[in-house]
Amino acid sequence: MAWRQILKRSANARVVASKSLKYAPSSITTSAESSCSCLQGLRYHDVSMKVSLIRCFHASPELLARRRDEDSFGLKTARRESNKGKFRKREIGKPPVEAAYVPPKPKKTVKSSQDKTVDIFEGMAVVELAKQSGASITTLQDILVNVGEKVDSEFEPLSIDVAELVVMELGFNVRRIHSSEGTEILLRPPVVTVMGHVDHGKTSLLDALRQTSLVAKEAGGITQHMGAFVVGMSTGASITFLDTPGHAAFSAMRKRGAAVTDIVVLVVAADDGVMPQTLEAIAHANAANVPIVVAINKCDKPAADPERVKNQLGAEGLELEDWGGKVQVVEVSAVKKTGLDDLEVALLLQAEMMNLKARVDGPAQAYVVEARLDKGRGPLTTAIVKAGTLVCGQHVVVGHEWGRIRAIRDMVGKSTDKARPAMPVEIEGLKGLPMAGDDIIVVDSEERARMLSSGRKKKFEKDRVRKINEERTENLEPSEDVPKRAEMPVIVKADVQGTVQAVTDALKTLNSPQLFVNVVHVGVGSVTQSDVDLAQACGACIVGFNVKSPPTSVSQAATQAGIKILMHSIIYHLLDDFGNLVVDKAPGTFETQVAGEAEVLNIFELKGRSKAKGDDVKIAGCRVIDGCFTRSSTMRLLRSGEVVFEGSCISLKREKQDVDTVAKGNECGLVIRDWHDFQVGDIIQCLEQVLVKPKFISSESGTVRIEC
């Protein structure tokens, strides 16, 4: 039975094959070798090897696999196309177009919600935090579990520190709002910031008020740090003064002083008038919404003109009290110590009108004025308490640094146990050096301080990386017209944190289209061996401002490595020196300049030259009337003041001898390539490419810039 079935199936296969051969076109055939493999699945081996068979597709696995592999052997098969609709669109083949590869443009990152600021306060519920941040309650509860807080209900209040951790985990900025309900609120002394132009007598005026001579200790006779101290008045009241630098490089310090102050004393020299930093101080005070009291200093000088100063201030928009406004004006002299009582009365009157009060009990809120590094005591922070009482032994978080307060000293250096509002103090005990302008907050425990500091550091690093990526994305498409800028790496070391920021900002103002000042590292303290190693690794120069000279071993290592160290204690000397260094490092640009001019006196023509020597030549007989002519330079032909032709000089002769240069007053003959139409009276200019370096410009007001 089995043999009969096999023979029957073989006979059926012969019939199908013969019919297929009868109707199949001759072009669609396969080789004998392919026909054997086709019929192998049917156990058929008697077919002749010389007969060509049409392909027969059946539902066997072998034939389906063969059908998939036909394209790889170059066989053309009819493909089914699903015709949608009545008509099928005819595809017209187009030849490929050769075009240059254009890389895809990077998508600019849109400012995300990371710039959003969330207001938090003590006792904030999870529901309120979700409403402020826009996150779901489930997300906030998961974050709370991760930070180690157990919350049973969505209406359970959170501490302000935990709320800040949650918001930072979401990637948002935080603004703390403190309430004064149920606390003791008392009057506090005013915080007064003295601002004005450089060398207008700000520090001298403060010396006269507190009977000291601090100005003699300042390098160069100008203030380069931000100082805070308390001055007791003859009436028994006290005023906290902030002394800000007046140089243009310390704009950030003046801005911080205006942000923390209650009253701004604008010092203007009677013999100098309103200057650029005077206008900047007015702008900082207006931006901080702080009242201004004008002190016209140096009224004892013969060239003093207080009325002219008042007119200038009125022209700048200040509503002076003499003209019916609210801004008080006091004429003083720091040298003669005249008008100081009137200034005290004006400040106390302004403070009384403002009714300055602050919370006395509870955790303190303070503001970092300055920070420096001491070898024996470590990081030291100068701060002003805004509210509450700062007690020795408390755990604090300052910016992204934390620590436990070991000691509190007033500005005289006397130790104290606590600091009340409007009191400037020096804090000792932080683990690291904070940034000037950071807020100081008091936390309950060391664990909470560590967590908060770690979260702030993580948030700070994320923001820094995001900012770098955004700047890199913006600079990915440089314009073809803008040349590539060279880079000048710089390491900045200074005595205090605020000065580091000021010097860094001042150096960045010297950026130019040709050179980019890249501050790779900043720090507080003297120049060390690690700074030299870093400078050697990245090819940077080291700038040390108001710090001690490095040890001999460090100086020798820098000299051997070819590293330049700029040490200065006066800001404008530093900017002048660094500006000249920037000019030397800048690559410069090549500009075309006229090296000489000559007048065509006669024209000579050489005819009948052989084919080997070339065609006829016209020689311009000239006299050099300015500068000198060089054979390798480009020549420009002027006729009636208009440029007619520019080309290279192929021959320059003087007294029938080939020369390279011809000086002023001498006659010569020259030939310009591809130009024969000379006329008597034409002017020929000799052009040369000159490398032009940028210029360092320093104004009298202290501002510096690089002009290309």
Side-chain angles (χ1 to χ4, degrees):
M1 289 296 295
W3 284 104
R4 290 179 182 177
Q5 290 180 359
I6 292 173
L7 291 174
K8 188 176 180 180
R9 291 172 62 185
S10 301
N12 292 336
R14 289 193 187 94
V15 172
V16 172
S18 62
K19 289 182 178 181
S20 301
L21 287 170
K22 182 178 180 181
Y23 296 103
S26 60
S27 59
I28 308 177
T29 58
T30 59
S31 63
E33 185 177 353
S34 300
S35 64
C36 290
S37 62
C38 176
L39 298 174
Q40 185 178 0
L42 300 174
R43 306 293 192 271
Y44 182 76
H45 300 285
D46 297 330
V47 179
S48 175
M49 301 296 292
K50 299 180 180 179
V51 179
S52 299
L53 299 177
I54 192 171
R55 298 190 309 273
C56 300
F57 295 104
H58 300 280
S60 63
E62 293 85 1
L63 295 179
L64 286 176
R66 179 189 167 195
R67 184 179 182 184
R68 295 189 191 99
D69 296 335
E70 279 177 346
D71 291 338
S72 62
F73 293 96
L75 299 177
K76 295 183 179 180
T77 58
R79 298 186 181 276
R80 278 190 172 183
E81 295 183 359
S82 58
N83 297 332
K84 294 184 179 180
K86 189 175 182 180
F87 301 97
R88 182 167 62 90
K89 188 175 180 180
R90 185 179 179 183
E91 296 182 359
I92 301 176
K94 296 182 180 180
V97 179
E98 294 184 0
Y101 172 72
V102 179
K105 293 184 178 180
K107 295 182 179 180
K108 290 187 177 181
T109 55
V110 183
K111 281 192 175 181
S112 61
S113 59
Q114 292 177 344
D115 295 330
K116 179 180 178 181
T117 301
V118 179
D119 295 334
I120 59 174
F121 51 88
E122 187 68 34
M124 192 177 193
V126 179
V127 176
E128 294 174 309
L129 188 58
K131 189 175 181 180
Q132 289 277 350
S133 61
S136 63
I137 297 178
T138 307
T139 303
L140 297 183
Q141 289 177 343
D142 293 340
I143 296 175
L144 287 170
V145 172
N146 292 335
V147 299
E149 291 291 327
K150 184 179 180 182
V151 179
D152 298 329
S153 172
E154 58 191 35
F155 299 100
E156 186 174 341
L158 302 174
S159 68
I160 191 170
D161 301 332
V162 174
E164 181 176 348
L165 285 171
V166 174
V167 174
M168 286 192 300
E169 195 69 25
L170 293 172
F172 301 142
N173 298 323
V174 181
R175 180 169 56 233
R176 290 182 168 228
I177 299 177
H178 298 274
S179 176
S180 299
E181 295 182 3
T183 58
E184 185 180 2
I185 300 176
L186 299 176
L187 290 172
R188 64 170 177 84
V191 179
V192 179
T193 299
V194 182
M195 305 177 71
H197 193 71
V198 62
D199 201 26
H200 274 200
K202 298 181 298 298
T203 307
S204 300
L205 182 60
L206 291 177
D207 287 343
L209 288 172
R210 59 178 177 173
Q211 302 296 323
T212 60
S213 182
L214 182 66
V215 70
K217 304 176 185 177
E218 296 287 355
I222 62 172
T223 301
Q224 300 178 125
H225 299 88
M226 194 168 177
F229 47 86
V230 179
V231 175
M233 301 299 176
S234 57
T235 57
S238 61
I239 299 178
T240 300
F241 281 99
L242 288 178
D243 187 14
T244 61
H247 194 273
F250 299 101
S251 175
M253 286 190 181
R254 290 189 291 274
K255 187 175 181 180
R256 291 198 302 270
V260 74
T261 191
D262 300 316
I263 305 169
V264 168
V265 174
L266 184 63
V267 179
V268 186
D271 60 341
D272 201 8
V274 175
M275 299 299 286
Q277 270 63 62
T278 310
L279 302 179
E280 185 196 73
I282 295 174
H284 286 325
N286 292 334
N289 197 19
V290 176
I292 298 175
V293 175
V294 178
I296 303 178
N297 196 14
K298 302 184 181 181
C299 290
D300 57 314
K301 287 194 172 184
D305 191 358
E307 293 301 324
R308 180 174 66 92
V309 175
K310 293 179 182 179
N311 292 332
Q312 291 176 345
L313 293 174
E316 297 299 333
L318 284 184
E319 300 176 356
L320 304 182
E321 195 176 43
D322 297 345
W323 298 347
K326 298 181 180 179
V327 179
Q328 302 181 69
V329 181
V330 183
E331 298 179 9
V332 298
S333 173
V335 177
K336 301 292 184 180
K337 297 183 180 180
T338 58
L340 300 182
D341 294 337
D342 297 337
L343 180 60
E344 294 178 8
V345 171
L347 294 176
L348 294 176
L349 177 61
Q350 184 68 44
E352 186 177 353
M353 293 170 58
M354 297 173 67
N355 192 23
L356 300 173
K357 293 183 178 181
R359 171 177 55 85
V360 179
D361 54 349
Q365 305 166 39
Y367 183 90
V368 176
V369 175
E370 198 60 271
R372 63 187 178 92
L373 195 62
D374 187 84
K375 282 187 176 180
R377 296 186 290 168
L380 301 178
T381 304
T382 303
I384 291 182
V385 181
K386 295 189 289 187
T389 302
L390 193 65
V391 182
C392 188
Q394 290 179 330
H395 290 89
V396 294
V397 177
V398 187
H400 50 263
E401 301 292 342
W402 70 279
R404 181 178 177 273
I405 300 177
R406 291 199 304 264
I408 299 176
R409 293 180 177 84
D410 58 15
M411 301 316 295
V412 185
K414 184 180 178 181
S415 298
T416 180
D417 293 335
K418 58 182 66 176
R420 293 186 173 273
M423 181 177 177
V425 291
E426 191 175 61
I427 302 172
E428 177 184 340
L430 295 181
K431 301 296 182 182
L433 205 62
M435 304 291 288
D438 287 341
D439 286 324
I440 300 176
I441 61 172
V442 179
V443 295
D444 298 334
S445 62
E446 180 180 340
E447 181 184 1
R448 182 64 53 82
R450 288 177 182 272
M451 289 183 62
L452 204 54
S453 173
S454 176
R456 289 186 176 185
K457 285 181 180 178
K458 190 184 301 182
K459 176 71 168 54
F460 175 78
E461 190 64 23
K462 285 182 179 179
D463 293 344
R464 188 182 67 85
V465 172
R466 179 170 60 91
K467 187 177 179 181
I468 292 174
N469 292 335
E470 289 177 357
E471 293 177 354
R472 188 175 298 169
T473 305
E474 291 176 359
N475 297 330
L476 277 178
E477 301 179 15
S479 176
E480 296 180 357
D481 300 334
V482 180
K484 291 185 178 180
R485 294 196 299 177
E487 183 177 335
M488 183 176 179
V490 183
I491 296 174
V492 179
K493 300 298 289 289
D495 54 346
V496 294
Q497 189 70 34
T499 307
V500 168
Q501 299 175 27
V503 172
T504 302
D505 295 340
L507 296 183
K508 288 182 178 180
T509 59
L510 297 177
N511 286 334
S512 66
Q514 297 184 17
L515 190 134
F516 169 65
V517 178
N518 182 19
V519 181
V520 296
H521 175 68
V522 297
V524 175
S526 59
V527 179
T528 60
Q529 183 62 41
S530 61
D531 298 326
V532 174
D533 295 339
L534 177 59
Q536 186 177 4
C538 61
C541 69
I542 302 175
V543 174
F545 181 73
N546 214 13
V547 295
K548 294 180 180 180
S549 299
T552 307
S553 58
V554 176
S555 301
Q556 290 178 353
T559 304
Q560 293 175 0
I563 298 169
K564 191 164 187 177
I565 300 179
L566 304 179
M567 302 295 295
H568 288 281
S569 58
I570 301 176
I571 186 64
Y572 45 78
H573 290 170
L574 170 64
L575 294 179
D576 290 345
D577 200 0
F578 188 78
N580 295 327
L581 182 62
V582 168
V583 170
D584 293 338
K585 293 286 186 180
T589 56
F590 284 96
E591 294 184 359
T592 302
Q593 294 184 358
V594 179
E597 286 188 356
E599 183 182 1
V600 178
L601 303 179
N602 204 347
I603 302 168
F604 306 96
E605 187 173 2
L606 295 179
K607 292 185 177 181
R609 305 180 69 189
S610 63
K611 292 183 179 180
K613 293 185 178 180
D615 299 333
D616 298 341
V617 176
K618 284 190 176 182
I619 303 172
C622 309
R623 178 185 289 119
V624 180
I625 58 178
D626 188 21
C628 65
F629 266 56
T630 308
R631 183 179 179 180
S632 60
S633 302
T634 303
M635 302 299 169
R636 175 189 292 168
L637 182 65
L638 301 178
R639 183 171 297 164
S640 300
E642 296 183 358
V643 178
V644 178
F645 182 77
E646 283 189 9
S648 59
C649 177
I650 59 176
S651 176
L652 180 65
K653 292 189 177 185
R654 181 173 179 270
E655 297 178 355
K656 298 183 180 182
Q657 293 183 357
D658 291 327
V659 293
D660 293 330
T661 59
V662 179
K664 179 181 177 181
N666 296 321
E667 295 182 356
C668 63
L670 60 87
V671 180
I672 300 178
R673 187 185 300 278
D674 300 332
W675 185 257
H676 309 288
D677 186 17
F678 293 106
Q679 294 182 9
V680 177
D682 289 348
I683 300 296
I684 300 177
Q685 293 180 341
C686 177
L687 307 179
E688 63 177 358
Q689 295 290 325
V690 179
L691 180 63
V692 179
K693 291 278 191 176
K695 296 180 181 179
F696 172 70
I697 298 176
S698 176
S699 63
E700 295 181 357
S701 62
T703 57
V704 293
R705 72 179 189 276
I706 299 294
E707 189 176 87
C708 297

